[in-house]
Amino acid sequence: MSITGADAAVQSAATEAMISLVGSLADNKAALGRRYAEWAVSAPTLESAVAAAAMAQDELGHSRSTYPVLKALGAAPAEDARFGGDRRLAMLDAELADWTAAVAANLLVDGVLTTFVAACVDSSVSAMAQRAKKILQEEGSHRVHAEAWARRLCRAGEAQQRLLVQRLRETWEQAGRWTGPPDDPGVRAAVAAGMVSGDAQAQRSLVRNWLRDLLAAEGITLELDEPVDFSRWDRERRRWE
């Protein structure tokens, strides 16, 4: 294969990886928005109910504004993409089990997706870079909400602490695999092409370290593992079955 042919193959792998990531990002944001909306009438406090409604609106808006990036990558979204496709985490298929699970999703699902968006701020895919900047402006309040509730639950007694750690581990099992295996050639090609600034493992490390330090300040020790088993990971839908 000539150098030109090799370069074309790498560019194709990078583009395919970005199509997968961006399409799944939009689908997951649509699903996460619906899961947040379900807590707009049942959150434990009026303040958190209002916050859930606002975050739901944000996520649904981010989803709709992200689908057009697929066209810029050469892959037109499905006709019904504005309703959210099925390239989402399995845990978002149905209602979250309880408020602690919702907080865990706020921390880790929202956190993983936002970390990817942040890695696209200087993307060579200009359409994604533009949307990333706007999305990050609105995601700041989501992080504030997640951190505040994490601290609150950590201070609510041992039983609640154990439940929070359980929900975080359950959530990480799925959210932690969203960016894919550490040796994913497509994601590495996307990094090399300047489409995204960090590979799968680097993005996960940012989330793991942030959560570890957040909980450590409350006296809770939690080290989320770097995923190594991707045997049940659906590459097409970017989800752990």
Side-chain angles (χ1 to χ4, degrees), residues 154-187:
C154 285
R155 299 168 186 173
E158 292 184 5
Q160 179 59 71
Q161 290 173 2
R162 287 194 297 271
L163 180 59
L164 175 61
V165 169
Q166 176 188 334
R167 294 296 187 228
L168 288 170
R169 291 193 183 280
E170 292 168 352
T171 303
W172 183 248
E173 183 177 46
Q174 297 187 35
R177 288 176 169 81
W178 180 75
T179 48
D183 58 349
D184 189 305
V187 175

PDB file of all heavy atoms in Angstrom, residues 154-187:
ATOM      1  N   CYS A 154     -22.992  11.741  50.654  1.00  0.00           N
ATOM      2  CA  CYS A 154     -21.875  11.251  51.465  1.00  0.00           C
ATOM      3  C   CYS A 154     -22.060  11.580  52.945  1.00  0.00           C
ATOM      4  O   CYS A 154     -21.546  10.868  53.818  1.00  0.00           O
ATOM      5  CB  CYS A 154     -20.559  11.865  50.974  1.00  0.00           C
ATOM      6  SG  CYS A 154     -19.931  11.159  49.436  1.00  0.00           S
ATOM      7  N   ARG A 155     -22.805  12.626  53.221  1.00  0.00           N
ATOM      8  CA  ARG A 155     -23.005  13.078  54.600  1.00  0.00           C
ATOM      9  C   ARG A 155     -24.318  12.557  55.198  1.00  0.00           C
ATOM     10  O   ARG A 155     -24.697  12.961  56.298  1.00  0.00           O
ATOM     11  CB  ARG A 155     -22.992  14.606  54.643  1.00  0.00           C
ATOM     12  CG  ARG A 155     -21.681  15.213  54.165  1.00  0.00           C
ATOM     13  CD  ARG A 155     -21.772  16.716  53.946  1.00  0.00           C
ATOM     14  NE  ARG A 155     -20.553  17.247  53.348  1.00  0.00           N
ATOM     15  CZ  ARG A 155     -20.399  18.506  52.932  1.00  0.00           C
ATOM     16  NH1 ARG A 155     -21.401  19.375  53.068  1.00  0.00           N
ATOM     17  NH2 ARG A 155     -19.261  18.899  52.385  1.00  0.00           N
ATOM     18  N   ALA A 156     -24.998  11.670  54.457  1.00  0.00           N
ATOM     19  CA  ALA A 156     -26.315  11.208  54.885  1.00  0.00           C
ATOM     20  C   ALA A 156     -26.292   9.886  55.650  1.00  0.00           C
ATOM     21  O   ALA A 156     -27.343   9.251  55.817  1.00  0.00           O
ATOM     22  CB  ALA A 156     -27.234  11.093  53.670  1.00  0.00           C
ATOM     23  N   GLY A 157     -25.129   9.450  56.103  1.00  0.00           N
ATOM     24  CA  GLY A 157     -25.050   8.218  56.878  1.00  0.00           C
ATOM     25  C   GLY A 157     -24.443   7.069  56.101  1.00  0.00           C
ATOM     26  O   GLY A 157     -24.340   7.096  54.872  1.00  0.00           O
ATOM     27  N   GLU A 158     -24.057   6.024  56.826  1.00  0.00           N
ATOM     28  CA  GLU A 158     -23.336   4.911  56.218  1.00  0.00           C
ATOM     29  C   GLU A 158     -24.161   4.160  55.182  1.00  0.00           C
ATOM     30  O   GLU A 158     -23.639   3.743  54.142  1.00  0.00           O
ATOM     31  CB  GLU A 158     -22.853   3.949  57.300  1.00  0.00           C
ATOM     32  CG  GLU A 158     -21.765   4.524  58.204  1.00  0.00           C
ATOM     33  CD  GLU A 158     -21.242   3.507  59.191  1.00  0.00           C
ATOM     34  OE1 GLU A 158     -21.662   2.329  59.102  1.00  0.00           O
ATOM     35  OE2 GLU A 158     -20.418   3.887  60.046  1.00  0.00           O
ATOM     36  N   ALA A 159     -25.444   3.968  55.458  1.00  0.00           N
ATOM     37  CA  ALA A 159     -26.280   3.229  54.503  1.00  0.00           C
ATOM     38  C   ALA A 159     -26.350   3.968  53.170  1.00  0.00           C
ATOM     39  O   ALA A 159     -26.243   3.359  52.098  1.00  0.00           O
ATOM     40  CB  ALA A 159     -27.683   3.029  55.073  1.00  0.00           C
ATOM     41  N   GLN A 160     -26.520   5.277  53.235  1.00  0.00           N
ATOM     42  CA  GLN A 160     -26.592   6.064  52.011  1.00  0.00           C
ATOM     43  C   GLN A 160     -25.234   6.107  51.302  1.00  0.00           C
ATOM     44  O   GLN A 160     -25.164   6.070  50.068  1.00  0.00           O
ATOM     45  CB  GLN A 160     -27.054   7.488  52.322  1.00  0.00           C
ATOM     46  CG  GLN A 160     -27.151   8.401  51.100  1.00  0.00           C
ATOM     47  CD  GLN A 160     -28.112   7.875  50.047  1.00  0.00           C
ATOM     48  OE1 GLN A 160     -29.322   7.884  50.230  1.00  0.00           O
ATOM     49  NE2 GLN A 160     -27.571   7.395  48.928  1.00  0.00           N
ATOM     50  N   GLN A 161     -24.176   6.140  52.075  1.00  0.00           N
ATOM     51  CA  GLN A 161     -22.838   6.108  51.478  1.00  0.00           C
ATOM     52  C   GLN A 161     -22.619   4.813  50.706  1.00  0.00           C
ATOM     53  O   GLN A 161     -22.107   4.824  49.578  1.00  0.00           O
ATOM     54  CB  GLN A 161     -21.771   6.246  52.569  1.00  0.00           C
ATOM     55  CG  GLN A 161     -21.700   7.620  53.210  1.00  0.00           C
ATOM     56  CD  GLN A 161     -20.745   7.644  54.395  1.00  0.00           C
ATOM     57  OE1 GLN A 161     -20.110   6.636  54.721  1.00  0.00           O
ATOM     58  NE2 GLN A 161     -20.652   8.784  55.057  1.00  0.00           N
ATOM     59  N   ARG A 162     -23.028   3.709  51.300  1.00  0.00           N
ATOM     60  CA  ARG A 162     -22.863   2.411  50.633  1.00  0.00           C
ATOM     61  C   ARG A 162     -23.688   2.349  49.359  1.00  0.00           C
ATOM     62  O   ARG A 162     -23.230   1.818  48.332  1.00  0.00           O
ATOM     63  CB  ARG A 162     -23.255   1.268  51.581  1.00  0.00           C
ATOM     64  CG  ARG A 162     -22.241   1.015  52.710  1.00  0.00           C
ATOM     65  CD  ARG A 162     -22.513  -0.322  53.380  1.00  0.00           C
ATOM     66  NE  ARG A 162     -23.819  -0.353  54.020  1.00  0.00           N
ATOM     67  CZ  ARG A 162     -24.037   0.026  55.283  1.00  0.00           C
ATOM     68  NH1 ARG A 162     -23.021   0.468  56.021  1.00  0.00           N
ATOM     69  NH2 ARG A 162     -25.244  -0.043  55.811  1.00  0.00           N
ATOM     70  N   LEU A 163     -24.908   2.882  49.408  1.00  0.00           N
ATOM     71  CA  LEU A 163     -25.748   2.873  48.217  1.00  0.00           C
ATOM     72  C   LEU A 163     -25.145   3.745  47.121  1.00  0.00           C
ATOM     73  O   LEU A 163     -25.159   3.368  45.940  1.00  0.00           O
ATOM     74  CB  LEU A 163     -27.157   3.360  48.558  1.00  0.00           C
ATOM     75  CG  LEU A 163     -28.148   3.399  47.385  1.00  0.00           C
ATOM     76  CD1 LEU A 163     -28.318   2.013  46.769  1.00  0.00           C
ATOM     77  CD2 LEU A 163     -29.500   3.962  47.834  1.00  0.00           C
ATOM     78  N   LEU A 164     -24.605   4.892  47.496  1.00  0.00           N
ATOM     79  CA  LEU A 164     -23.983   5.770  46.500  1.00  0.00           C
ATOM     80  C   LEU A 164     -22.815   5.065  45.822  1.00  0.00           C
ATOM     81  O   LEU A 164     -22.704   5.080  44.582  1.00  0.00           O
ATOM     82  CB  LEU A 164     -23.507   7.068  47.159  1.00  0.00           C
ATOM     83  CG  LEU A 164     -22.735   8.033  46.242  1.00  0.00           C
ATOM     84  CD1 LEU A 164     -23.600   8.494  45.084  1.00  0.00           C
ATOM     85  CD2 LEU A 164     -22.209   9.220  47.040  1.00  0.00           C
ATOM     86  N   VAL A 165     -21.950   4.440  46.604  1.00  0.00           N
ATOM     87  CA  VAL A 165     -20.808   3.730  46.027  1.00  0.00           C
ATOM     88  C   VAL A 165     -21.286   2.604  45.121  1.00  0.00           C
ATOM     89  O   VAL A 165     -20.746   2.387  44.028  1.00  0.00           O
ATOM     90  CB  VAL A 165     -19.901   3.185  47.151  1.00  0.00           C
ATOM     91  CG1 VAL A 165     -18.857   2.216  46.581  1.00  0.00           C
ATOM     92  CG2 VAL A 165     -19.205   4.336  47.867  1.00  0.00           C
ATOM     93  N   GLN A 166     -22.320   1.896  45.547  1.00  0.00           N
ATOM     94  CA  GLN A 166     -22.876   0.817  44.716  1.00  0.00           C
ATOM     95  C   GLN A 166     -23.383   1.352  43.383  1.00  0.00           C
ATOM     96  O   GLN A 166     -23.083   0.787  42.318  1.00  0.00           O
ATOM     97  CB  GLN A 166     -24.025   0.131  45.465  1.00  0.00           C
ATOM     98  CG  GLN A 166     -24.740  -0.940  44.645  1.00  0.00           C
ATOM     99  CD  GLN A 166     -25.987  -1.472  45.343  1.00  0.00           C
ATOM    100  OE1 GLN A 166     -26.085  -1.424  46.575  1.00  0.00           O
ATOM    101  NE2 GLN A 166     -26.941  -1.967  44.569  1.00  0.00           N
ATOM    102  N   ARG A 167     -24.168   2.427  43.445  1.00  0.00           N
ATOM    103  CA  ARG A 167     -24.718   2.999  42.208  1.00  0.00           C
ATOM    104  C   ARG A 167     -23.609   3.543  41.298  1.00  0.00           C
ATOM    105  O   ARG A 167     -23.701   3.436  40.067  1.00  0.00           O
ATOM    106  CB  ARG A 167     -25.704   4.117  42.537  1.00  0.00           C
ATOM    107  CG  ARG A 167     -26.965   3.663  43.256  1.00  0.00           C
ATOM    108  CD  ARG A 167     -27.796   2.751  42.391  1.00  0.00           C
ATOM    109  NE  ARG A 167     -29.081   2.446  42.991  1.00  0.00           N
ATOM    110  CZ  ARG A 167     -29.594   1.231  43.094  1.00  0.00           C
ATOM    111  NH1 ARG A 167     -28.907   0.192  42.634  1.00  0.00           N
ATOM    112  NH2 ARG A 167     -30.783   1.037  43.632  1.00  0.00           N
ATOM    113  N   LEU A 168     -22.583   4.111  41.882  1.00  0.00           N
ATOM    114  CA  LEU A 168     -21.472   4.628  41.076  1.00  0.00           C
ATOM    115  C   LEU A 168     -20.738   3.489  40.373  1.00  0.00           C
ATOM    116  O   LEU A 168     -20.390   3.604  39.190  1.00  0.00           O
ATOM    117  CB  LEU A 168     -20.512   5.427  41.953  1.00  0.00           C
ATOM    118  CG  LEU A 168     -21.030   6.784  42.430  1.00  0.00           C
ATOM    119  CD1 LEU A 168     -20.098   7.359  43.494  1.00  0.00           C
ATOM    120  CD2 LEU A 168     -21.177   7.765  41.268  1.00  0.00           C
ATOM    121  N   ARG A 169     -20.520   2.396  41.079  1.00  0.00           N
ATOM    122  CA  ARG A 169     -19.847   1.250  40.449  1.00  0.00           C
ATOM    123  C   ARG A 169     -20.709   0.668  39.326  1.00  0.00           C
ATOM    124  O   ARG A 169     -20.198   0.299  38.262  1.00  0.00           O
ATOM    125  CB  ARG A 169     -19.522   0.187  41.495  1.00  0.00           C
ATOM    126  CG  ARG A 169     -18.432   0.600  42.485  1.00  0.00           C
ATOM    127  CD  ARG A 169     -17.941  -0.583  43.294  1.00  0.00           C
ATOM    128  NE  ARG A 169     -16.957  -0.193  44.293  1.00  0.00           N
ATOM    129  CZ  ARG A 169     -15.672   0.036  44.041  1.00  0.00           C
ATOM    130  NH1 ARG A 169     -15.233  -0.094  42.796  1.00  0.00           N
ATOM    131  NH2 ARG A 169     -14.838   0.380  45.002  1.00  0.00           N
ATOM    132  N   GLU A 170     -22.002   0.551  39.571  1.00  0.00           N
ATOM    133  CA  GLU A 170     -22.905   0.032  38.546  1.00  0.00           C
ATOM    134  C   GLU A 170     -22.906   0.939  37.312  1.00  0.00           C
ATOM    135  O   GLU A 170     -22.893   0.457  36.167  1.00  0.00           O
ATOM    136  CB  GLU A 170     -24.330  -0.059  39.109  1.00  0.00           C
ATOM    137  CG  GLU A 170     -24.514  -1.115  40.188  1.00  0.00           C
ATOM    138  CD  GLU A 170     -25.841  -0.997  40.920  1.00  0.00           C
ATOM    139  OE1 GLU A 170     -26.568   0.012  40.701  1.00  0.00           O
ATOM    140  OE2 GLU A 170     -26.172  -1.904  41.708  1.00  0.00           O
ATOM    141  N   THR A 171     -22.932   2.224  37.542  1.00  0.00           N
ATOM    142  CA  THR A 171     -22.960   3.186  36.441  1.00  0.00           C
ATOM    143  C   THR A 171     -21.653   3.170  35.664  1.00  0.00           C
ATOM    144  O   THR A 171     -21.641   3.207  34.432  1.00  0.00           O
ATOM    145  CB  THR A 171     -23.239   4.602  36.971  1.00  0.00           C
ATOM    146  OG1 THR A 171     -24.478   4.594  37.691  1.00  0.00           O
ATOM    147  CG2 THR A 171     -23.330   5.615  35.846  1.00  0.00           C
ATOM    148  N   TRP A 172     -20.538   3.090  36.393  1.00  0.00           N
ATOM    149  CA  TRP A 172     -19.231   3.088  35.738  1.00  0.00           C
ATOM    150  C   TRP A 172     -19.029   1.850  34.875  1.00  0.00           C
ATOM    151  O   TRP A 172     -18.343   1.907  33.842  1.00  0.00           O
ATOM    152  CB  TRP A 172     -18.120   3.173  36.783  1.00  0.00           C
ATOM    153  CG  TRP A 172     -16.742   3.239  36.196  1.00  0.00           C
ATOM    154  CD1 TRP A 172     -15.759   2.292  36.271  1.00  0.00           C
ATOM    155  CD2 TRP A 172     -16.178   4.330  35.450  1.00  0.00           C
ATOM    156  NE1 TRP A 172     -14.626   2.714  35.615  1.00  0.00           N
ATOM    157  CE2 TRP A 172     -14.858   3.972  35.102  1.00  0.00           C
ATOM    158  CE3 TRP A 172     -16.669   5.571  35.041  1.00  0.00           C
ATOM    159  CZ2 TRP A 172     -14.021   4.802  34.359  1.00  0.00           C
ATOM    160  CZ3 TRP A 172     -15.827   6.410  34.302  1.00  0.00           C
ATOM    161  CH2 TRP A 172     -14.525   6.026  33.972  1.00  0.00           C
ATOM    162  N   GLU A 173     -19.623   0.749  35.262  1.00  0.00           N
ATOM    163  CA  GLU A 173     -19.499  -0.468  34.459  1.00  0.00           C
ATOM    164  C   GLU A 173     -19.938  -0.213  33.023  1.00  0.00           C
ATOM    165  O   GLU A 173     -19.371  -0.767  32.074  1.00  0.00           O
ATOM    166  CB  GLU A 173     -20.345  -1.600  35.072  1.00  0.00           C
ATOM    167  CG  GLU A 173     -20.210  -2.924  34.334  1.00  0.00           C
ATOM    168  CD  GLU A 173     -20.987  -4.048  34.977  1.00  0.00           C
ATOM    169  OE1 GLU A 173     -22.162  -3.825  35.329  1.00  0.00           O
ATOM    170  OE2 GLU A 173     -20.423  -5.140  35.126  1.00  0.00           O
ATOM    171  N   GLN A 174     -20.930   0.642  32.844  1.00  0.00           N
ATOM    172  CA  GLN A 174     -21.405   0.968  31.505  1.00  0.00           C
ATOM    173  C   GLN A 174     -20.787   2.262  30.967  1.00  0.00           C
ATOM    174  O   GLN A 174     -20.235   2.291  29.867  1.00  0.00           O
ATOM    175  CB  GLN A 174     -22.927   1.092  31.519  1.00  0.00           C
ATOM    176  CG  GLN A 174     -23.639  -0.202  31.883  1.00  0.00           C
ATOM    177  CD  GLN A 174     -25.133  -0.114  31.725  1.00  0.00           C
ATOM    178  OE1 GLN A 174     -25.645   0.546  30.834  1.00  0.00           O
ATOM    179  NE2 GLN A 174     -25.858  -0.777  32.609  1.00  0.00           N
ATOM    180  N   ALA A 175     -20.873   3.330  31.754  1.00  0.00           N
ATOM    181  CA  ALA A 175     -20.375   4.622  31.283  1.00  0.00           C
ATOM    182  C   ALA A 175     -18.867   4.593  31.050  1.00  0.00           C
ATOM    183  O   ALA A 175     -18.358   5.245  30.128  1.00  0.00           O
ATOM    184  CB  ALA A 175     -20.734   5.716  32.292  1.00  0.00           C
ATOM    185  N   GLY A 176     -18.148   3.825  31.872  1.00  0.00           N
ATOM    186  CA  GLY A 176     -16.703   3.764  31.740  1.00  0.00           C
ATOM    187  C   GLY A 176     -16.236   3.106  30.457  1.00  0.00           C
ATOM    188  O   GLY A 176     -15.082   3.279  30.054  1.00  0.00           O
ATOM    189  N   ARG A 177     -17.095   2.361  29.805  1.00  0.00           N
ATOM    190  CA  ARG A 177     -16.729   1.691  28.556  1.00  0.00           C
ATOM    191  C   ARG A 177     -17.187   2.468  27.323  1.00  0.00           C
ATOM    192  O   ARG A 177     -16.910   2.044  26.196  1.00  0.00           O
ATOM    193  CB  ARG A 177     -17.327   0.274  28.528  1.00  0.00           C
ATOM    194  CG  ARG A 177     -16.630  -0.675  29.490  1.00  0.00           C
ATOM    195  CD  ARG A 177     -17.317  -2.033  29.508  1.00  0.00           C
ATOM    196  NE  ARG A 177     -16.517  -3.037  30.222  1.00  0.00           N
ATOM    197  CZ  ARG A 177     -16.472  -3.175  31.542  1.00  0.00           C
ATOM    198  NH1 ARG A 177     -17.210  -2.370  32.313  1.00  0.00           N
ATOM    199  NH2 ARG A 177     -15.718  -4.089  32.112  1.00  0.00           N
ATOM    200  N   TRP A 178     -17.879   3.571  27.518  1.00  0.00           N
ATOM    201  CA  TRP A 178     -18.472   4.260  26.368  1.00  0.00           C
ATOM    202  C   TRP A 178     -17.428   4.703  25.339  1.00  0.00           C
ATOM    203  O   TRP A 178     -17.641   4.569  24.126  1.00  0.00           O
ATOM    204  CB  TRP A 178     -19.284   5.481  26.828  1.00  0.00           C
ATOM    205  CG  TRP A 178     -19.906   6.198  25.673  1.00  0.00           C
ATOM    206  CD1 TRP A 178     -20.989   5.797  24.940  1.00  0.00           C
ATOM    207  CD2 TRP A 178     -19.469   7.427  25.089  1.00  0.00           C
ATOM    208  NE1 TRP A 178     -21.256   6.697  23.933  1.00  0.00           N
ATOM    209  CE2 TRP A 178     -20.328   7.705  23.999  1.00  0.00           C
ATOM    210  CE3 TRP A 178     -18.416   8.315  25.371  1.00  0.00           C
ATOM    211  CZ2 TRP A 178     -20.189   8.845  23.198  1.00  0.00           C
ATOM    212  CZ3 TRP A 178     -18.277   9.446  24.576  1.00  0.00           C
ATOM    213  CH2 TRP A 178     -19.155   9.705  23.510  1.00  0.00           C
ATOM    214  N   THR A 179     -16.300   5.219  25.783  1.00  0.00           N
ATOM    215  CA  THR A 179     -15.297   5.691  24.827  1.00  0.00           C
ATOM    216  C   THR A 179     -14.580   4.548  24.114  1.00  0.00           C
ATOM    217  O   THR A 179     -13.885   4.778  23.122  1.00  0.00           O
ATOM    218  CB  THR A 179     -14.244   6.579  25.519  1.00  0.00           C
ATOM    219  OG1 THR A 179     -13.783   5.930  26.701  1.00  0.00           O
ATOM    220  CG2 THR A 179     -14.836   7.934  25.889  1.00  0.00           C
ATOM    221  N   GLY A 180     -14.744   3.316  24.614  1.00  0.00           N
ATOM    222  CA  GLY A 180     -14.168   2.174  23.931  1.00  0.00           C
ATOM    223  C   GLY A 180     -12.885   1.654  24.551  1.00  0.00           C
ATOM    224  O   GLY A 180     -12.383   2.204  25.534  1.00  0.00           O
ATOM    225  N   PRO A 181     -12.320   0.587  23.976  1.00  0.00           N
ATOM    226  CA  PRO A 181     -11.094  -0.019  24.507  1.00  0.00           C
ATOM    227  C   PRO A 181      -9.920   0.959  24.422  1.00  0.00           C
ATOM    228  O   PRO A 181      -9.891   1.838  23.560  1.00  0.00           O
ATOM    229  CB  PRO A 181     -10.862  -1.215  23.566  1.00  0.00           C
ATOM    230  CG  PRO A 181     -12.185  -1.475  22.915  1.00  0.00           C
ATOM    231  CD  PRO A 181     -12.851  -0.143  22.807  1.00  0.00           C
ATOM    232  N   PRO A 182      -8.941   0.803  25.309  1.00  0.00           N
ATOM    233  CA  PRO A 182      -7.797   1.723  25.301  1.00  0.00           C
ATOM    234  C   PRO A 182      -6.958   1.652  24.031  1.00  0.00           C
ATOM    235  O   PRO A 182      -6.267   2.613  23.681  1.00  0.00           O
ATOM    236  CB  PRO A 182      -6.982   1.280  26.531  1.00  0.00           C
ATOM    237  CG  PRO A 182      -7.407  -0.127  26.791  1.00  0.00           C
ATOM    238  CD  PRO A 182      -8.846  -0.183  26.401  1.00  0.00           C
ATOM    239  N   ASP A 183      -7.022   0.514  23.334  1.00  0.00           N
ATOM    240  CA  ASP A 183      -6.222   0.348  22.128  1.00  0.00           C
ATOM    241  C   ASP A 183      -7.050   0.495  20.853  1.00  0.00           C
ATOM    242  O   ASP A 183      -6.640   0.042  19.783  1.00  0.00           O
ATOM    243  CB  ASP A 183      -5.535  -1.018  22.143  1.00  0.00           C
ATOM    244  CG  ASP A 183      -6.537  -2.173  22.256  1.00  0.00           C
ATOM    245  OD1 ASP A 183      -7.736  -1.904  22.524  1.00  0.00           O
ATOM    246  OD2 ASP A 183      -6.123  -3.340  22.100  1.00  0.00           O
ATOM    247  N   ASP A 184      -8.203   1.151  20.943  1.00  0.00           N
ATOM    248  CA  ASP A 184      -9.078   1.312  19.785  1.00  0.00           C
ATOM    249  C   ASP A 184      -8.351   2.091  18.689  1.00  0.00           C
ATOM    250  O   ASP A 184      -8.037   3.274  18.869  1.00  0.00           O
ATOM    251  CB  ASP A 184     -10.349   2.049  20.196  1.00  0.00           C
ATOM    252  CG  ASP A 184     -11.392   2.062  19.095  1.00  0.00           C
ATOM    253  OD1 ASP A 184     -11.071   2.502  17.977  1.00  0.00           O
ATOM    254  OD2 ASP A 184     -12.533   1.643  19.342  1.00  0.00           O
ATOM    255  N   PRO A 185      -8.080   1.465  17.550  1.00  0.00           N
ATOM    256  CA  PRO A 185      -7.323   2.146  16.489  1.00  0.00           C
ATOM    257  C   PRO A 185      -8.069   3.325  15.882  1.00  0.00           C
ATOM    258  O   PRO A 185      -7.449   4.311  15.462  1.00  0.00           O
ATOM    259  CB  PRO A 185      -7.088   1.041  15.452  1.00  0.00           C
ATOM    260  CG  PRO A 185      -8.184   0.045  15.699  1.00  0.00           C
ATOM    261  CD  PRO A 185      -8.430   0.081  17.175  1.00  0.00           C
ATOM    262  N   GLY A 186      -9.393   3.245  15.845  1.00  0.00           N
ATOM    263  CA  GLY A 186     -10.169   4.340  15.282  1.00  0.00           C
ATOM    264  C   GLY A 186     -10.076   5.595  16.125  1.00  0.00           C
ATOM    265  O   GLY A 186      -9.886   6.707  15.613  1.00  0.00           O
ATOM    266  N   VAL A 187     -10.202   5.436  17.445  1.00  0.00           N
ATOM    267  CA  VAL A 187     -10.108   6.593  18.348  1.00  0.00           C
ATOM    268  C   VAL A 187      -8.700   7.168  18.311  1.00  0.00           C
ATOM    269  O   VAL A 187      -8.509   8.389  18.291  1.00  0.00           O
ATOM    270  CB  VAL A 187     -10.503   6.199  19.779  1.00  0.00           C
ATOM    271  CG1 VAL A 187     -10.278   7.366  20.736  1.00  0.00           C
ATOM    272  CG2 VAL A 187     -11.966   5.766  19.825  1.00  0.00           C
TER     273      VAL A 187
END
